[in-house]
Amino acid sequence: MKISVIITLKKDVLDPQGKVIQQTLNGMGFDHINEVRQGKYFEIDTKETDYKEAKNQVEEMCKKLLANLVIENYKIIDTQ
Amino acid sequence: MKSSVITFPGSNCDRDMDVALKKFGFQNKMVWHNDIDLPKSDLVVLPGGFSYGDYLRCGSMASKSKIMKSVINFANSGGMVMGICNGFQILVETGMLPGVLLRNKYLEFICKNVFVKIKNKQNIFFKNIDNEILELHIAHNEGNFFCTNDQLKEINDNEQIAINYCNENGKIEDQFNPNGSIENIAGILNKKKNVLGMMPHPERMIDKYLSGEDGSLFFNNLINNIK
């Protein structure tokens, strides 16, 4: 079973990389952008077959390693 | 006095730290990250470098390595732990110190000498040191100390700020903040004041012909405090 996770920076945390990407996009002519925030995407292929259990495990992974909850939020977005 | 320096895959200041500790009288042992037990130590040092290639977040993988369980137990029982640069990043990732170290504000890798002002001398790392201001070296890409407002209040209430970036006269202002750290924070302590994390490298300032000697002041004072 594959589970995907998106990690994003919390709203109040400065994202200098997102800002530079936004400035570059502006320079390329994409000038209607309010803000760009950069995040991370993970695809986890697990041997677990029970959906609920797999999701719980991925949630634990997010809390313990994948995200730093001081600055980041995680979202488990889909399973296949 | 016995010390241990932990080497992670990608550490690159571990041997400099070994040289510095031995120069000032520590009997130092190098400890591999995959070991389970710490040798008997008065001080454990997590050195600078790029553990695990800074993958995921700086220090995040190293904070889960086998030896870290022993380091955490050692600190919880009152042992002295010091993390320099990547070591500081590892300490915040374990939760032993509050906050995180973000990418530098202007996205530059910074490698230069800076001045820091010692804010708290009521701890074993800095007590009895004569100087108020030290000139030390920094070299990092992720040294921008950040924490939540609640954490910042707690850090201030408990007097956990160890050193702040300043100018040569000790002025702590925005213009002397190299990386965007909240309140110019360059190093912090835990609540019990037995764990120190700081971005500057004292081990790079121990030779008057090569660098400066403010790191020597730090290590000399440190071993006298521990004796």
Side-chain angles (χ1 to χ4, degrees), chain A residues 11-27:
Chain A
K11 221 179 81 201
D12 299 337
V13 179
L14 185 75
D15 179 11
Q17 292 179 88
K19 205 159 191 181
V20 170
I21 294 166
Q22 182 190 347
Q23 284 164 1
T24 305
L25 287 170
N26 285 150

Side-chain angles (χ1 to χ4, degrees), chain B residues 126-181:
Chain B
F126 290 105
K127 76 175 178 196
N128 302 324
I129 200 161
D130 290 332
N131 298 38
E132 300 296 320
I133 301 157
L134 298 175
E135 183 180 7
L136 297 175
H137 191 78
I138 56 168
H140 60 247
N141 200 37
E142 284 88 3
N144 178 355
F145 183 80
F146 178 86
C147 60
T148 63
N149 288 337
D150 291 346
Q151 283 178 320
L152 186 62
K153 187 176 179 306
E154 209 175 298
I155 288 169
N156 276 313
D157 288 351
N158 294 313
E159 299 181 328
Q160 284 173 254
I161 300 174
I163 49 175
N164 297 95
Y165 298 109
C166 63
N167 71 353
E168 69 263 40
N169 302 315
K171 253 196 182 151
I172 300 168
E173 286 175 7
D174 250 1
Q175 55 181 313
F176 311 121
N177 185 342
N179 52 27
S181 292

Side-chain angles (χ1 to χ4, degrees), chain A residues 9 12-14 16-17 20 40 42 64-68 70-72, chain B residues 56-57 60-61 64 93 99-100 102-105 107 146-148 151:
Chain A
L9 278 175
D12 299 337
V13 179
L14 185 75
Q17 292 179 88
V20 170
K40 293 174 190 152
F42 299 87
K64 287 186 175 160
L65 180 68
L66 301 182
N68 182 327
V70 177
I71 48 165
E72 293 169 325
Chain B
L56 190 64
R57 292 179 309 277
S60 63
M61 309 288 187
K64 312 293 179 204
E93 280 287 342
V100 290
L102 296 175
R103 190 90 187 262
N104 294 341
K105 191 173 176 187
L107 297 174
F146 178 86
C147 60
T148 63
Q151 283 178 320

Side-chain angles (χ1 to χ4, degrees), chain B residues 3 5 8 36 53 61 65 70 74-75 85 94 104 110 129 131 136-138 145 151 153 167-168 206 217 223 227:
Chain B
S3 60
V5 173
F8 300 95
I36 291 166
M61 309 288 187
S65 53
S70 299
F74 176 74
C85 197
T94 60
N104 294 341
I110 306 166
I129 200 161
N131 298 38
L136 297 175
H137 191 78
I138 56 168
F145 183 80
Q151 283 178 320
K153 187 176 179 306
N167 71 353
E168 69 263 40
I206 57 164
L217 295 172
I223 192 159
K227 267 176 194 166

Side-chain angles (χ1 to χ4, degrees), chain B residues 34-49:
Chain B
N34 237 354
D35 290 355
I36 291 166
D37 296 318
L38 270 177
K40 197 175 176 324
S41 315
D42 300 294
L43 170 73
V44 172
V45 182
L46 309 184

Side-chain angles (χ1 to χ4, degrees), chain B residues 197-208:
Chain B
M198 61 177 176
M199 289 317 292
H201 290 265
E203 78 278 12
R204 293 190 185 179
M205 304 297 264
I206 57 164
D207 190 314
K208 66 178 173 184

